[in-house]
Amino acid sequence: MSTRFYTDAGEAVAEIQDGSTVLIGGFGMAGMPVALIDALLQQDAGDLTVVSNNAGNGDTGLAALLAAGRVRKVVCSFPRQADSYVFDELYRAGKVELEVVPQGNLAERIRAAGAGIGAFFCPTGVGTLLSEGKETREIDGRTYVLEYPIRGDVALIGAYRADRMGNLVYRKTARNFGPVMATAATTVIAQVREIVETGALDPETVITPSIYVDRVVQEVDQA
Amino acid sequence: MSTRFYTDAGEAVAEIQDGSTVLIGGFGMAGMPVALIDALLQQDAGDLTVVSNNAGNGDTGLAALLAAGRVRKVVCSFPRQADSYVFDELYRAGKVELEVVPQGNLAERIRAAGAGIGAFFCPTGVGTLLSEGKETREIDGRTYVLEYPIRGDVALIGAYRADRMGNLVYRKTARNFGPVMATAATTVIAQVREIVETGALDPETVITPSIYVDRVVQEVDQA
Amino acid sequence: MNPAIRTSHGNAPLDKHGIAALVAGHIPDGAFVNLGIGRPTLVADHLPPGSGVVLHTENGMLNMGPAAEGNDVDPDLTNAGKVPVTEMPGAAYFHHADSFAMMRGGHLDICVLGAYQVSSGGDLANWQTRAPDAIPAVGGAMDLAIGAKQVFVVMTLFTKGGTPKLVRECSYPLTGLGCVDRVYTDLAVFDISPRGVSVTHTFGVTFDELAARLDMPLLDGTNP
Amino acid sequence: MNPAIRTSHGNAPLDKHGIAALVAGHIPDGAFVNLGIGRPTLVADHLPPGSGVVLHTENGMLNMGPAAEGNDVDPDLTNAGKVPVTEMPGAAYFHHADSFAMMRGGHLDICVLGAYQVSSGGDLANWQTRAPDAIPAVGGAMDLAIGAKQVFVVMTLFTKGGTPKLVRECSYPLTGLGCVDRVYTDLAVFDISPRGVSVTHTFGVTFDELAARLDMPLLDGTNP
């Protein structure tokens, strides 16, 4: 159904509920939907499962959500970073669960959820701790691990421009997880830098078609 | 390794050998690499397995390759068309094998080959003739069929523009199977309408990066 | 279903345009819809201007416009039936795997398909008859059948020979299992749900006449 | 391997730049290459101008340029280490699933990675030590390890404590099984193949000295 546009990020994320699985785009700060995460912090949904490449940096964004005790579990490829101290402390105190997923498996499992794939035999992680207990199979002489889709109740993503239908384009490596996450959640909320009229985006360049986008919020320039 | 550019389609396809599996892009005439198929017809590789959405139209292109007795097997979603009489006759005479694959499975199986996926549980075709004898599994209450990758020795695709590195862009619905086929064959040969200097394509709009493209031939305008 | 749907009944069978118009009227504004080849394509002609309905074509496009004519014909722009079409503002192109991922991932709101047979359990048979020299050809039919949130079928209720096409069990090869939600025919509209098959509209026949001609239990949903 | 490689030997151990230069010299013109975070990144500085080597960064780009400085810094354009980088003519961007499909599908020619340990069978351990309070974090390491046509490892041959990092069996948690093709170290270069581990270059040590310090059979490939 048609994409809805919001001027208030708080309104766009208001319906996110306790216990939701929230896919959060971005790789480092590139593509990170900061305004949406901040808005989520302002409402009170807790017991969240967050699926994102990292587990927060410094004291803002996802780290702030973690610090506020709102996150039960993090599914990510790389929690540990120079400034991931908020996550590190919670994890060591046993206050947050962690599922570490190889980055390619994370992306492909999210894609699988969006593409209606029930599970797939994957070459990454075979014979490692991260595939322990998982089903394996040899196919054409190579061993694969069976991996399952990762679905979200909500996806929060950052894009560059939206048109008034909700079609999205990204910019450079800020594209990263946005396009696959947009296919894999019940409600997809995008923050964009700019909204343009329908017809202003070249149809060849649309990366996330409007069908995947439920809500769009334009970033307010902080400058 | 670096993409090579050819002015002669015959030279570009010269190394295709007997018994090869050839992925051929296009959906109807849109994206059909006509010059490459014609060039393949001029050399003498036989016993080919052709993977393409359709099984030839009229007397030219894939139909001519079939008529010349060069194709052992066709893997496609929709052989039967108003003007597929060449294929129809060969098939009814038992002179060509046919594997009918649902169109989405065809695309996804080709993608899987390019993406290193060993096999995937797929929702399409469950309980139908086209999944008879295939492994099925219930996952989260839904039944899936296990489908395997389709790889090519060669892919022949049609694109719109290439830059001098071999990056490709497509045009409108002529994009269709080209991008996935380009990921799934040992040797990928693209025919393009235009070659532009490196740097002339917007990096945001490149659909098939040069890493996938081995050879590029510019179409000679027939007009 | 929108309660308003249940109140419209006709006194004569619908022709194919009448069926298409009825389907078009039941597609919510802003829905993402795939119209199968053949009769389902007619639905596009009856979508009201400003409905915001976005048409998907599985060969890689959203926001497809009407058939192209004259100078608008572009061999690079066709629908799934290989007919030249046009592009609407806000269109998007994508490759075949992305297009079918969109379908198979359940993102389309409605898919409208033709059928040889539909069973009372919602099984669909629309890709192959058992004609002796038939060449199997499935195209995107099986993907369309299982992908959309709702699958509407448009067909005549009976063959030219008078045999029902809404049946207890399909005798033709199946396209998909339990995938059809609603069947639009010249004589009636049927809802298929876990409760059973419910007649929601009749055209030129009564519920009892239908019930007498179809070999299955029918629920009367015509006078809720 | 290029036979020319076997002929260059040094009389002193290499520093990290020396290792990087050696690796760079062994990358064929026009290769598609992913350089892992840390020491592997140094290889880029030693690629000769005009080599046509195309760098992949797994966060979604081919034809990545050098690190960005000053006004070229763009927060939307970083490498996998989240360092601002630049774009070269002929660059292409893609999303994470496409980027890892490129890697996992075996399309990259070479991937250069750091390591804690490499086994004589080519197993790689580079994502986690068994430090008591370690937080597991794998990033793209496991995908890189199994995806590229050839995996080169760059590391010091011994830990600061003098323990070999090229071992019969890895004691650290594995990143990938049998995936390493060549190991570049300060003291020697090793080829790992079904025939065994072959020393192709030595730097400041002799083959016999190496053989005495490593707990595995070594083939002498230094004088072919």
Side-chain angles (χ1 to χ4, degrees), chain B residues 77 92 103-105 171 193, chain C residues 74 76 96 104 133 139 143:
Chain B
S77 86
R92 289 186 173 125
Q103 201 168 130
N105 290 11
R171 193 168 167 275
R193 287 199 208 139
Chain C
D74 180 337
D76 286 343
H96 243 81
R104 294 144 61 111
D133 69 344
D143 304 288

Side-chain angles (χ1 to χ4, degrees), chain A residues 132-152:
Chain A
E132 271 184 2
K134 295 189 174 186
E135 179 176 342
T136 60
R137 186 180 294 200
E138 193 176 311
I139 300 170
D140 273 345
R142 190 173 193 192
T143 306
Y144 296 86
V145 181
L146 189 63
E147 293 285 352
Y148 290 88
I150 297 176
R151 272 183 203 86

Side-chain angles (χ1 to χ4, degrees), chain D residues 65-136:
Chain D
E69 291 179 0
N71 286 340
D72 284 343
V73 170
D74 179 336
D76 286 344
L77 179 49
T78 73
N79 66 13
K82 286 145 194 162
V83 175
V85 291
T86 52
E87 119 194 341
M88 302 283 280
Y93 295 103
F94 27 82
H95 63 57
H96 242 83
D98 279 350
S99 184
F100 279 80
M102 186 180 289
M103 188 184 292
R104 294 144 60 111
H107 303 285
L108 292 171
D109 295 304
I110 295 170
C111 178
V112 185
L113 295 172
Y116 297 133
Q117 291 177 327
V118 176
S119 83
S120 56
D123 295 348
L124 172 66
N126 79 343
W127 73 287
Q128 198 186 0
T129 59
R130 293 201 192 274
D133 69 343
I135 295 177

